[in-house]
Amino acid sequence: MAVAVASCAGGRSSAGGEVTGIGATSWAEPTPYGMVLVDRGSIKAGPQEADSLWGLLPDSRGVSVDAFWMDETEITNSKYKQFVFWVRDSIIRERLADPAYGGNEEFKIEEDREGNPVTPHLNWNKAIPWRNPNEDEQRAIESLYRTNPITGARELDPAQLNYRYEVYNHTEAARRRNRLDPRRREYNTDKPVPTDVPVISKDTAWINDDGEIIRETVSRGLTGDYDFLNTYIVNVYPDTTAWINDFENAYNEPYVRMYFAHGGYNEYPVVGVSWEQANAFANWRTDYLKRSIGRDGIYIEPFRLPTEAEWEYAARAGVSENKYPWEGDLPLTEDKGCFYANFKPQEGNYVQDGHLITSRVGTYAPNDFGLYDMAGNVSEWTSTAFTESVSKLTSDLNPEYRYDAAVDDPYKMKRKIVRGGSWKDVAHNVRSDLRMWEYQNEQRSYIGFRCVRTQIGFAKGNKKGK
């Protein structure tokens, strides 16, 4: 005899026994600070016309991207300093809690209010005693500073500013070939259940006894979910010497000393930041937001670098005919001769547009999506890896080619796509439909970045795109 068991749990009342669906908690995602919403849409990405002068061939194709939030300006020195100072303060708090520096337990939380053990974490509510520290506290604080051997000045020691973070690779974990249950790796019932163990590449990092960051990519058989958790340690301080190393026989020493340090440049785009450092910033920004929400177990879409497709779609304001973030093929207005962007208008003439190097973010008018400096000022990192055939490798739906290069990979496999051109480039190179690249560990005086976050549902679609 069959027995039917009824349950009232988890359903809405429905007359007549019809299936009406289960309700779910939803929320209206607030606008992230300093970001604008780019609605979902499509575009013919890449150059559509040949250019014999530059040896450019047509290479366009239709792509579509989902809605995302994007920083309205490039990340500034001011915002990146907040990251650097957070890393500094976290290291100081760790040392203040270290018995070698007095062992003040108030700087580290190891128990909850009921006395139960918790994962040790820093107590950010406990202020660092910058003024009137005791002897041990003074040693902890001063341990992160050094005395310049030439000038005798007290300055922050950039070599110690290392940020450790972990990233779970959801994409690799979701691939059918990597499922823990071998019966779910092959759906063709004419084939036997796979018996081979998938090999997983996992990034890990640690600091050795000499204070050096050691990175390693481990390949091993799949054992569990932790095989997709990657650990990174990144030194976060920008390479201020890029101003000299990028330009031979040029007097750029003032930028080395002042561009990142001086408050007068606070609202200028940060430069000298590698692709690896930009990713570390995005991870920290995500965690920083989570901590401010103050709720355990909550998931938010992470801040991240834009994919190449997202960047190009946003830069061209969803209009396939646009070569630049504005209409037309000129980098300045025809009637008044006003420049649309910060670039190098003529050979040797950087200042015709009113700026010698970078300009304050938001100096020029935004594009139709409300985004500033999507051409010129600084080139911008994307998350997309570069290979000559990248357009053929990617889908036309949210296209992305991701390659996390292992430490011992050939250097050419560590190339990442940059977009938008910079203050040092001629008008052609600040076009929004052109692809350029740089090595992921390079730090240039003309490359910066901005972040994006995927919007959670509710996008209406872009009405301006074509």
Side-chain angles (χ1 to χ4, degrees):
M1 180 178 66
V3 178
V5 180
S7 173
C8 297
R12 295 184 299 199
S13 60
S14 56
E18 296 291 344
V19 174
T20 59
I22 296 295
T25 302
S26 63
W27 63 93
E29 184 180 13
T31 301
Y33 178 79
M35 287 185 149
V36 297
L37 178 62
V38 178
D39 279 337
R40 64 170 68 107
S42 64
I43 195 174
K44 287 284 187 182
Q48 300 183 52
E49 301 173 356
D51 189 331
S52 57
L53 178 63
W54 292 89
L56 191 65
L57 298 176
D59 185 29
S60 65
R61 64 172 188 143
V63 299
S64 297
V65 294
D66 210 342
F68 56 94
W69 301 96
M70 190 175 214
D71 284 322
E72 61 181 355
T73 70
E74 293 143 342
I75 296 299
T76 61
N77 283 320
S78 176
K79 290 182 178 179
Y80 197 83
K81 281 179 186 176
Q82 186 175 353
F83 176 37
V84 171
F85 291 162
W86 183 94
V87 173
R88 177 201 65 184
D89 293 353
S90 67
I91 295 172
I92 290 176
R93 282 185 166 84
E94 285 280 1
R95 292 181 184 173
L96 287 168
D98 188 336
Y101 294 96
N104 189 336
E105 298 178 353
E106 294 184 40
F107 284 97
K108 203 160 193 177
I109 298 174
E110 298 184 354
E111 296 180 347
D112 60 20
R113 294 179 179 178
E114 286 73 36
N116 301 312
V118 297
T119 302
H121 58 279
L122 296 177
N123 180 9
W124 286 89
N125 293 321
K126 176 66 174 175
I128 295 174
W130 296 106
R131 296 182 178 181
N132 303 317
N134 63 36
E135 184 177 343
D136 286 330
E137 292 169 341
Q138 183 71 22
R139 286 194 305 111
I141 294 172
E142 290 300 322
S143 69
L144 210 60
Y145 288 80
R146 67 180 186 182
T147 299
N148 188 300
I150 305 301
T151 65
R154 174 181 178 270
E155 58 189 24
L156 194 60
D157 183 5
Q160 297 189 57
L161 298 178
N162 300 320
Y163 173 67
R164 181 186 185 277
Y165 68 102
E166 295 179 330
V167 175
Y168 186 79
N169 193 331
H170 289 274
T171 299
E172 286 302 310
R175 294 193 189 281
R176 185 179 294 180
R177 65 171 182 261
N178 292 334
R179 287 175 176 170
L180 297 176
D181 184 351
R183 294 170 297 181
R184 299 187 63 235
R185 296 178 198 151
E186 176 58 66
Y187 282 8
N188 186 339
T189 56
D190 291 337
K191 295 182 178 180
V193 174
T195 57
D196 56 318
V197 178
V199 176
I200 304 300
S201 292
K202 174 184 174 71
D203 291 333
T204 186
W206 67 93
I207 297 177
N208 66 14
D209 293 338
D210 296 325
E212 299 173 319
I213 299 174
I214 306 300
R215 295 179 54 191
E216 185 179 3
T217 300
V218 179
S219 294
R220 66 188 188 193
L222 176 65
T223 60
D225 288 333
Y226 277 96
D227 290 326
F228 303 104
L229 189 66
N230 299 276
T231 302
Y232 301 98
I233 300 176
V234 178
N235 184 273
V236 303
Y237 205 83
D239 182 7
T240 58
T241 68
W243 292 100
I244 287 179
N245 291 304
D246 287 342
F247 300 93
E248 290 290 336
N249 301 318
Y251 183 66
N252 289 338
E253 289 181 24
Y255 308 138
V256 174
R257 293 190 295 267
M258 307 300 284
Y259 185 81
F260 186 66
H262 195 283
Y265 286 107
N266 263 3
E267 298 310 311
Y268 286 64
V270 67
V271 297
V273 173
S274 69
W275 181 86
E276 295 162 350
Q277 290 173 313
N279 276 288
F281 175 92
N283 181 274
W284 165 79
R285 189 176 179 182
T286 304
D287 284 347
Y288 194 73
L289 178 60
K290 287 180 179 178
R291 282 190 296 271
S292 69
I293 294 174
R295 290 173 58 191
D296 294 333
I298 189 172
Y299 177 81
I300 63 170
E301 280 295 319
F303 292 97
R304 55 183 175 82
L305 292 180
T307 67
E308 181 191 30
E310 289 173 332
W311 194 98
E312 181 173 343
Y313 175 75
R316 298 168 72 180
V319 181
S320 297
E321 289 73 24
N322 285 357
K323 295 179 181 177
Y324 295 95
W326 51 83
E327 294 182 7
D329 295 342
L330 296 175
L332 70 165
T333 57
E334 294 185 28
D335 52 349
K336 298 181 181 179
C338 296
F339 287 93
Y340 288 134
N342 178 15
F343 65 106
K344 184 169 71 169
Q346 295 181 19
E347 182 180 357
N349 188 347
Y350 293 84
V351 299
Q352 187 178 354
D353 59 3
H355 304 277
L356 178 63
I357 55 169
T358 57
S359 56
R360 188 184 296 267
V361 297
T363 296
Y364 299 88
N367 70 0
D368 285 345
F369 280 177
L371 299 166
Y372 295 87
D373 299 315
M374 295 298 284
N377 213 14
V378 292
S379 298
E380 299 179 17
W381 291 111
T382 73
S383 61
T384 306
F386 174 81
T387 178
E388 286 75 6
S389 57
V390 62
S391 295
K392 297 179 175 62
L393 294 174
T394 53
S395 170
D396 57 1
L397 171 66
N398 294 319
E400 170 69 326
Y401 176 63
R402 185 90 188 195
Y403 183 77
D404 296 322
V407 175
D408 55 355
D409 273 341
Y411 199 36
K412 67 177 296 184
M413 299 178 70
K414 300 175 183 179
R415 296 176 292 178
K416 298 296 187 286
I417 291 173
V418 295
R419 285 299 202 118
S422 74
W423 57 271
K424 72 167 187 60
D425 289 310
V426 296
H428 174 271
N429 290 342
V430 303
R431 280 174 50 171
S432 304
D433 59 347
L434 296 185
R435 173 184 296 142
M436 291 166 279
W437 60 266
E438 184 54 270
Y439 294 104
Q440 66 185 46
N441 64 336
E442 275 287 2
Q443 297 160 295
R444 298 293 192 182
S445 60
Y446 46 84
I447 298 180
F449 69 102
R450 71 181 80 206
C451 296
V452 298
R453 270 180 68 193
T454 300
Q455 192 207 27
I456 304 175
F458 311 118
K460 298 178 181 178
N462 173 41
K463 297 181 180 179
K464 297 178 183 178
K466 296 182 182 179

